[in-house]
């Protein structure tokens, strides 16, 4: 059954009714049976050895090489065994079609080193390979679809510093393109990342961050504060997660939590809402910075979980014992399992900047669950919609108004 696709041809009748006249059953010939022919599995340790070898080769001024980084997406819906089969299939195909020197990295990316082909031929080969991946594969008589992206960095055309090659390759995978060659625009993003990361690291070392508070209004009445922050030296601090390494961002969020908990001694009576990543909450739980002694204060804090990390359900479960409120980013709504929604009374609502005025099904569900909706950019009819204002307050301002 997984090998067929029903194609129905609709038409509009004389009465203006949309009808389906007939169906055609056709075999999906494009799908590929999995044959994982791995010549030899090279891991990250092997890549480090090869990297040293490349470092030696660069002493020859005529040396050239191409670094290709491949990433598999859209497979979280499959079970662990199927994911492993997909990764092995992609790895074997890259080895066969692109380069035997393909390395299976710890994060399940694949890095291929090509030294004997020009850029045009590489691009042709990679695009053909991506197109074959897009056709899907057949695993255990089931049709499996997934996405593969690839990025290309050339030495020495794109950089003379071989230590930058992997960073550049990672950046190429952040664009919407299925195949992306490193270019000047990506180089500017890289330089911005370096500057912002250095600035944020300096503030982390100095334990220096100022929390700011944006009022949230429910039907024009102040009903909580969305926490933001000020980083001296940066014009815009709102989206630094897009410009710093994950471990730096996690440490930065831990500093924000530290400052937030210190502010709880000031008797703030309004609810506080903080955007935070799953990884940061995992680290906070691991480091045991939450204690049950502060539960009365924690009830005033709502974490807006802002990403769809695979551990999101576990983190939400682990936070229960501290009684924080949980707000789910609407983009991650489908990542939460039904059991979590039904059994966790601390999930208080969703965050979105999408106008839901025509999304009646969503709004009906949220209303039944008595959820609040937090937003910064849109306004629509909902009984418990909290909208961020443009006002920015400091902690001293809040204390004065109490």
């Amino acid at each position: 059954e997984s090998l067929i696709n029903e194609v129905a041809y609709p038409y509009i009748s004389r009465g203006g009714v949309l009808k389906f006249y007939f169906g055609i059953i056709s075999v999906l010939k494009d799908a590929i049976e999995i044959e994982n022919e791995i010549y030899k599995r090279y891991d990250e340790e092997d890549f480090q050895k090869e990297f040293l070898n490349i470092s030696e080769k660069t002493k020859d001024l005529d040396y050239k090489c191409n670094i290709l980084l491949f990433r598999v997406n859209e497979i979280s819906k499959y079970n662990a065994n199927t994911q492993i089969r997909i990764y092995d299939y992609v790895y074997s195909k890259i080895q066969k079609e692109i380069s035997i020197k393909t390395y299976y990295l710890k994060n399940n990316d694949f890095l291929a080193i090509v030294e004997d082909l020009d850029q045009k031929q590489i691009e042709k080969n990679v695009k053909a390979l991506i197109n074959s991946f897009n056709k899907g594969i057949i695993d255990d008589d089931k049709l499996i679809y997934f996405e593969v992206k690839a990025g290309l960095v050339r030495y020495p055309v794109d950089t003379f510093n071989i230590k930058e090659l992997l960073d550049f390759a990672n950046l190429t995978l952040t664009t919407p393109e299925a195949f992306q060659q490193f270019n000047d625009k990506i180089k500017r993003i890289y330089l911005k990342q370096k500057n912002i990361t250095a600035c944020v690291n300096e503030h982390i070392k100095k334990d220096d961050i100022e929390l700011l508070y944006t009022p949230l209004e429910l039907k024009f009445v102040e009903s909580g504060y969305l926490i933001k922050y000020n980083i001296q030296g940066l014009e815009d601090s709102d989206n630094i997660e897009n410009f710093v390494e994950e471990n730096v961002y996690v440490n930065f969020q831990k500093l924000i939590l530290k400052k937030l908990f210190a502010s709880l001694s000031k008797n703030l009576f309004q609810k506080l809402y903080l955007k935070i990543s799953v990884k940061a909450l995992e680290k906070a739980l691991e480091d045991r910075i939450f204690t049950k002694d502060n539960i009365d204060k924690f009830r005033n804090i709502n974490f807006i979980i802002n990403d769809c990390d695979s551990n999101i359900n576990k983190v939400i479960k682990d936070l229960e014992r501290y009684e924080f409120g949980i707000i789910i980013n609407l983009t991650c709504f489908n990542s939460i399992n039904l059991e979590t929604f039904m059994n966790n009374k601390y999930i208080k609502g969703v965050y979105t900047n999408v106008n839901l005025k025509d999304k009646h099904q969503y709004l009906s569900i949220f209303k039944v669950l008595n959820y609040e909706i937090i937003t910064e950019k849109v306004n629509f009819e909902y009984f418990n919609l909290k909208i961020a204002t443009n006002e920015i307050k400091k902690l001293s301002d809040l204390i004065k108004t109490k």
Side-chain angles (χ1 to χ4, degrees):
E1 294 178 354
S2 61
L3 300 180
I4 63 173
N5 179 34
E6 184 177 272
V7 182
Y9 296 93
Y11 72 101
I12 299 176
S13 70
R14 290 180 180 177
V17 178
L18 179 67
K19 293 184 178 182
F20 293 89
Y21 185 64
F22 59 86
I24 294 177
I25 305 297
S26 57
V27 176
L28 292 177
K29 297 179 180 178
D30 288 339
I32 301 168
E33 290 279 2
I34 288 183
E35 293 180 2
N36 294 336
E37 185 184 358
I38 297 175
Y39 298 105
K40 180 182 177 182
R41 187 184 296 273
Y42 297 103
D43 59 19
E44 199 151 325
E45 185 176 335
D46 294 314
F47 170 66
Q48 296 303 329
K49 293 176 183 177
E50 180 62 22
F51 191 77
L52 292 175
N53 186 34
I54 292 175
S55 298
E56 285 297 313
K57 290 181 179 180
T58 58
K59 293 177 181 178
D60 179 355
L61 297 180
D62 293 326
Y63 177 73
K64 298 176 182 179
C65 74
N66 300 277
I67 298 294
L68 284 157
L69 190 64
F70 294 82
R71 181 167 298 159
V72 183
N73 298 319
E74 306 295 335
I75 67 169
S76 59
K77 56 191 171 186
Y78 302 121
N79 63 43
N81 287 334
T82 300
Q83 290 186 30
I84 291 171
R85 294 271 283 166
I86 293 171
Y87 285 130
D88 283 350
Y89 171 72
V90 172
Y91 182 55
S92 67
K93 292 291 286 183
I94 297 171
Q95 273 196 320
K96 184 178 180 180
E97 305 291 339
I98 304 299
S99 172
I100 189 67
K101 289 185 178 181
T102 298
Y103 300 87
Y104 201 135
L105 305 184
K106 292 178 181 178
N107 65 349
N108 294 318
D109 284 350
F110 306 110
L111 189 145
I113 299 173
V114 183
E115 296 176 313
D116 55 353
L117 288 177
D118 63 27
Q119 177 193 333
K120 288 184 178 179
Q121 187 61 49
I122 291 173
E123 185 173 343
K124 181 180 177 181
N125 293 351
V126 172
K127 286 183 176 179
L129 184 58
I130 289 175
N131 286 337
S132 74
F133 289 144
N134 289 340
K135 295 174 182 177
I137 57 177
I138 299 165
D139 181 39
D140 195 21
D141 292 331
K142 294 180 181 177
L143 187 59
I144 306 295
Y145 284 111
F146 53 91
E147 174 191 89
V148 176
K149 297 181 68 173
L152 170 66
V153 184
R154 302 160 299 169
Y155 176 87
V157 176
D158 294 322
T159 177
F160 282 101
N161 183 355
I162 63 169
K163 293 180 181 179
E164 293 179 333
L165 288 173
L166 194 53
D167 288 337
F168 286 2
N170 271 298
L171 276 176
T172 62
L173 297 182
T174 63
T175 73
E177 303 299 325
F179 174 74
Q180 177 67 61
Q181 180 184 314
F182 188 80
N183 56 33
D184 287 342
K185 182 178 180 181
I186 297 175
K187 180 70 173 285
R188 288 194 293 272
I189 293 173
Y190 173 75
L191 294 174
K192 184 175 182 179
Q193 284 184 339
K194 295 277 284 186
N195 291 335
I196 292 178
T197 297
C199 181
V200 172
N201 264 327
E202 191 64 25
H203 281 272
I204 293 172
K205 289 177 185 176
K206 293 180 179 179
D207 202 27
D208 178 26
I209 184 72
E210 180 186 24
L211 297 189
L212 303 173
Y213 301 80
T214 294
L216 292 167
E217 291 186 349
L218 172 63
K219 301 188 185 302
F220 304 105
V221 176
E222 197 170 282
S223 185
Y225 296 99
L226 180 64
I227 296 173
K228 299 191 176 183
Y229 37 83
N230 178 40
I231 304 174
Q232 290 186 359
L234 292 184
E235 292 183 11
D236 181 10
S237 305
D238 281 350
N239 299 306
I240 66 164
E241 66 271 20
N242 298 325
F243 297 98
V244 297
E245 297 173 7
E246 184 177 72
N247 64 314
V248 175
Y249 186 52
V250 167
N251 289 333
F252 177 70
Q253 290 175 100
K254 283 180 61 182
L255 177 58
I256 292 174
L257 285 173
K258 178 181 176 182
K259 296 293 183 181
L260 174 60
F261 293 160
S263 74
L264 296 179
S265 61
K266 307 297 183 180
N267 294 322
L268 303 178
F269 299 105
Q270 293 278 24
K271 291 285 185 183
L272 302 175
Y273 296 79
L274 174 66
K275 294 181 189 177
I276 194 165
S277 70
V278 173
K279 285 280 193 294
L281 290 171
E282 277 187 302
K283 186 63 176 172
L285 288 162
E286 180 185 316
D287 294 348
R288 299 182 179 180
I289 69 171
F290 307 139
T291 63
K292 291 188 175 182
D293 295 340
N294 290 315
I295 279 182
D296 286 344
K297 294 177 180 178
F298 290 165
R299 292 189 185 115
N300 228 27
I301 297 175
N302 293 277
F303 288 134
I304 300 175
I305 300 182
N306 219 25
D307 62 283
C308 312
D309 186 272
S310 58
N311 289 331
I312 188 170
N313 288 285
K314 182 180 183 302
V315 165
I316 291 173
K317 177 69 176 175
D318 291 344
L319 286 172
E320 277 187 59
R321 58 182 176 271
Y322 302 109
E323 300 188 23
F324 293 104
I326 302 296
I327 306 294
I328 307 296
N329 192 310
L330 186 60
T331 59
C332 305
F333 197 72
N334 293 331
S335 299
I336 312 298
N337 59 48
L338 185 60
E339 180 184 1
T340 300
F341 277 122
M342 294 296 101
N343 298 330
N344 194 315
K345 64 181 181 181
Y346 299 106
I347 298 179
K348 303 296 184 181
V350 297
Y351 171 92
T352 184
N353 285 319
V354 175
N355 197 321
L356 300 180
K357 66 177 182 179
D358 297 321
K359 305 291 184 181
H360 303 299
Q361 186 176 7
Y362 271 129
L363 295 177
S364 297
I365 293 171
F366 297 156
K367 188 172 183 179
V368 168
L369 294 172
N370 199 33
Y371 280 179
E372 59 186 15
I373 299 177
I374 310 299
T375 183
E376 297 179 73
K377 296 181 180 179
V378 292
N379 189 356
F380 50 87
E381 187 62 34
Y382 182 72
F383 82 102
N384 196 3
L385 178 69
K386 294 185 177 181
I387 305 172
T389 68
N390 293 322
E391 190 177 2
I392 296 291
K393 295 184 178 182
K394 296 185 177 182
L395 182 61
S396 56
D397 298 325
L398 305 188
I399 296 170
K400 290 175 183 176
T401 61
K402 301 304 175 187

